[in-house]
Amino acid sequence: MPCFTPRQKRAQNLLRNFINSAANMSSSDDSKSDWDSSDDADDGAEHATSRLSQYVRCTYQAIYACHYDAAHNKPIPKAPSQLPHILEVLKIERPDEFREILWVNPDTFDKIIEKIKDDAVFFNNLNNTQQPVKEQLAITLYRFGHNGNAASQSQVARWAAGGHGTVLLNTKRVMTAILCRSFMDKAVQFPTQEEKEEAKTWVEKHSCKAWHDGWCLVDGTLIPLYDWPHWYGESYFDQKCNYSLNIQIVSLPNLHIIDFSYGHTGSTHNSTAWDNTHLCQEHETLLDDEEFVWADSTYPLQTWVIAPYKKPEQDLPENDVACHWLSQGSISLTQRPSHSN
């Protein structure tokens, strides 16, 4: 059975009633013609039929005058925002749940707010003031902590009880402030001599004394994108069959980030993206004699970059000791929990 919309049912009932009424009027006229054949009776019947036809035509046009029978743009009340509960309750009472939702500790969240709150992007000359910076940062962190449909503007807008455009504006403002050179210079700094010595001590304890001077490590990570970029999209396709960005991170053994590079597409090799880091470009001045950087086999082996042997050198007996201690140090580095964030 075909399914009809309420509008179609109304139109069909109208036409059906019109046909029945016209048939009844016709049979009534035939019965009258047997005893009344005057012109006045014919004129009255024609006039009644004409009025009925006009009524049906106007009603039919009114039914299809609008695309929707009921108003489809009627505003729907939004659910309460979860931001007040997260920023005023969980942040204080349950920092573990706060971190689970926004992916940073409350202390880290407050420090970011302190660094970016005075950025010019959060001020305007309009009569309508912006949302508080803490809410804009929370929306941005929530969006970055999810992927797929959960990170869509619609889903985040429902979570924050805001508009679609507001979510996008908040993200742009926060990232503009964070990518500002002054913020990055303050947030990402090279370690002090004391921090460097602490890192060297940890490395010596978990590997061997000969590798005491390898106090930092570099690694690349792929940040997946939601969709295929319109411009040069194929260059973002990585070895994991995702569209992504290549981010290079240089950190201490405690995972404290001291240098980074961004802007490379997912297809960019780690060795190429690594060339744009400050440490790689200025290693002669940033590294003392005998100091070096730990890396994996995707990075070029140099006097100041120590990476695992590649085949066939990896299988040579004289390299077994180096491979053993290198693997021990790598396991310790990757399993060490971070004290930051």
Side-chain angles (χ1 to χ4, degrees):
M1 293 291 292
C3 182
F4 298 101
T5 64
R7 190 210 311 266
Q8 291 174 326
K9 292 180 180 179
R10 289 172 54 194
Q12 288 178 354
N13 291 334
L14 178 66
L15 293 177
R16 188 181 298 110
N17 293 334
F18 170 70
I19 294 174
N20 293 335
S21 298
N24 293 334
M25 293 178 63
S26 176
S27 61
S28 176
D29 292 342
D30 292 341
S31 61
K32 288 182 179 181
S33 62
D34 296 337
W35 57 272
D36 187 1
S37 59
S38 64
D39 294 337
D40 292 339
D42 294 338
D43 293 340
E46 292 178 359
H47 180 66
T49 305
S50 176
R51 290 182 57 187
L52 179 60
S53 300
Q54 183 178 2
Y55 169 77
V56 171
R57 183 169 56 254
C58 293
T59 304
Y60 196 83
Q61 291 175 350
I63 292 175
Y64 287 94
C66 301
H67 290 290
Y68 301 93
D69 288 337
H72 66 286
N73 56 352
K74 181 180 179 180
I76 300 176
K78 295 181 179 179
S81 173
Q82 298 188 39
L83 286 175
H85 179 70
I86 294 172
L87 297 178
E88 298 173 9
V89 179
L90 296 183
K91 184 169 178 275
I92 300 172
E93 303 294 338
R94 294 300 302 270
D96 56 327
E97 293 190 15
F98 181 89
R99 179 189 174 96
E100 183 180 344
I101 296 172
L102 299 185
W103 293 79
V104 294
N105 286 332
D107 290 342
T108 303
F109 184 85
D110 291 338
K111 290 178 181 178
I112 297 176
I113 292 294
E114 187 65 26
K115 297 293 184 181
I116 69 174
K117 66 179 183 180
D118 296 326
D119 193 282
V121 74
F122 297 113
F123 298 90
N124 55 44
N125 297 323
L126 303 177
N127 294 328
N128 296 328
T129 59
Q130 295 185 19
Q131 287 177 272
V133 178
K134 64 179 182 181
E135 293 187 4
Q136 298 193 48
L137 177 60
I139 291 174
T140 303
L141 292 176
Y142 179 86
R143 190 180 183 190
F144 287 169
H146 297 77
N147 59 11
N149 292 335
S152 66
Q153 290 181 232
S154 300
Q155 185 65 26
V156 179
R158 282 191 289 268
W159 174 81
H164 295 67
T166 304
V167 172
L168 183 60
L169 284 176
N170 291 342
T171 305
K172 287 184 176 180
R173 290 170 185 154
V174 170
M175 290 310 301
T176 299
I178 288 179
L179 294 178
C180 179
R181 174 55 60 182
S182 60
F183 174 84
M184 291 192 292
D185 290 342
K186 294 177 181 178
V188 181
Q189 298 180 345
F190 256 68
T192 62
Q193 189 62 34
E194 181 180 351
E195 292 173 332
K196 187 185 293 187
E197 291 299 325
E198 180 183 351
K200 289 182 178 181
T201 302
W202 189 92
V203 170
E204 179 179 344
K205 180 180 178 181
H206 290 81
S207 59
C208 61
K209 187 175 182 179
W211 288 343
H212 171 82
D213 291 322
W215 54 270
C216 63
L217 62 146
V218 61
D219 196 10
T221 182
L222 296 173
I223 307 299
L225 302 176
Y226 175 72
D227 199 1
W228 170 75
H230 180 72
W231 296 103
Y232 306 103
E234 294 181 356
S235 64
Y236 291 85
F237 197 73
D238 58 36
Q239 71 272 20
K240 297 181 179 179
C241 300
N242 295 320
Y243 293 97
S244 62
L245 296 173
N246 187 317
I247 308 296
Q248 294 294 304
I249 301 294
V250 182
S251 67
L252 299 177
N254 61 7
L255 305 186
H256 178 74
I257 298 175
I258 61 173
D259 193 13
F260 66 95
S261 72
Y262 63 93
H264 293 280
T265 61
S267 63
T268 305
H269 197 272
N270 280 340
S271 60
T272 303
W274 155 246
D275 291 339
N276 281 354
T277 60
H278 182 55
L279 178 58
C280 181
Q281 296 174 353
E282 304 292 338
H283 66 274
E284 294 182 355
T285 58
L286 297 176
L287 297 176
D288 297 334
D289 294 338
E290 305 299 328
E291 290 184 346
F292 61 88
V293 181
W294 294 100
D296 60 32
S297 58
T298 60
Y299 295 86
L301 187 64
Q302 303 181 58
T303 57
W304 54 278
V305 178
I306 300 300
Y309 286 106
K310 300 179 182 179
K311 292 185 177 182
E313 290 81 4
Q314 183 182 7
D315 300 327
L316 297 178
E318 57 266 28
N319 294 330
D320 287 345
V321 176
C323 292
H324 170 74
W325 286 109
L326 183 59
S327 62
Q328 292 297 315
S330 300
I331 293 173
S332 300
L333 288 171
T334 55
Q335 291 182 348
R336 180 170 184 178
S338 171
H339 76 282
S340 60
N341 291 344

